Amino acid sequence: MFWNAWKLGSSLWANGLALQETAMAAAGVIGHRSQLIDSAMRDPLSADVAELGRMVPEKVEAFGKAGSAIAEDWLDIHRDLLAQSRDFATLFAAWPPSPATIARMNQRGGKLLVKMSTAGGRAIDPIHATATGNHRRLQRSTGRTR
């Protein structure tokens, strides 16, 4: 049980860090691209068409990968939730529950928490990679270090 709690805490920490990094990178990317859009509207012939053309396809790809990851993980989580509910229903049929049933439910419950957290992390990963990658690339292109 302790191992599951440690894995859960580590996963939640990593997810929170990834969300924070994603939000900070997104703010930088939005700021840079807003300026690009503004300059493109003022002078369309000298617009950075390559950068403007990346905006939608990269989001579609990142969110598509995130959706696929969460769908794959959700099937596994759902299977465990059904098994957990089946064991929970047997508690009412045979009271007191056997130590094996309690141990199985306890172990599966801990694993479910970890699976749910890591599923969220796997869904965040492609979005995080795209946002932070764009931020680094745009910083290099403008010569900024921050």
Side-chain angles (χ1 to χ4, degrees):
M1 184 64 181
F2 173 75
W3 182 245
N4 281 340
W6 181 260
K7 285 164 68 172
L8 176 63
S10 297
S11 176
L12 290 172
W13 179 269
N15 292 350
L17 185 61
L19 283 170
Q20 179 187 14
E21 288 175 344
T22 302
M24 291 175 67
V29 171
I30 290 168
H32 181 82
R33 287 183 170 168
S34 294
Q35 291 173 357
L36 274 175
I37 293 168
D38 178 55
S39 64
M41 290 181 72
R42 292 174 193 273
D43 185 9
L45 297 176
S46 63
D48 186 352
V49 180
E51 184 62 33
L52 293 171
R54 284 187 190 105
M55 293 168 63
V56 173
E58 72 188 8
K59 286 173 185 61
V60 170
E61 181 181 359
F63 281 93
K65 287 179 181 177
S68 294
I70 200 74
E72 290 171 13
D73 290 336
W74 189 246
L75 289 173
D76 189 36
I77 290 167
H78 191 32
R79 187 174 23 259
D80 284 350
L81 283 171
L82 287 173
Q84 191 76 335
S85 63
R86 188 177 50 245
D87 277 348
F88 187 72
T90 64
L91 292 179
F92 297 110
W95 192 261
S98 71
T101 301
I102 293 173
R104 184 174 56 243
M105 289 180 68
N106 187 27
Q107 183 179 25
R108 190 184 300 119
K111 286 181 179 179
L112 269 166
L113 290 173
V114 173
K115 282 181 180 182
M116 288 178 192
S117 178
T118 54
R122 281 180 18 99
I124 293 166
D125 285 344
I127 299 165
H128 174 264
T130 299
T132 55
N134 280 339
H135 187 61
R136 282 189 302 272
R137 182 177 49 76
L138 292 171
Q139 281 180 331
R140 283 191 304 269
S141 73
T142 59
R144 292 185 188 167
T145 57
R146 195 160 193 246

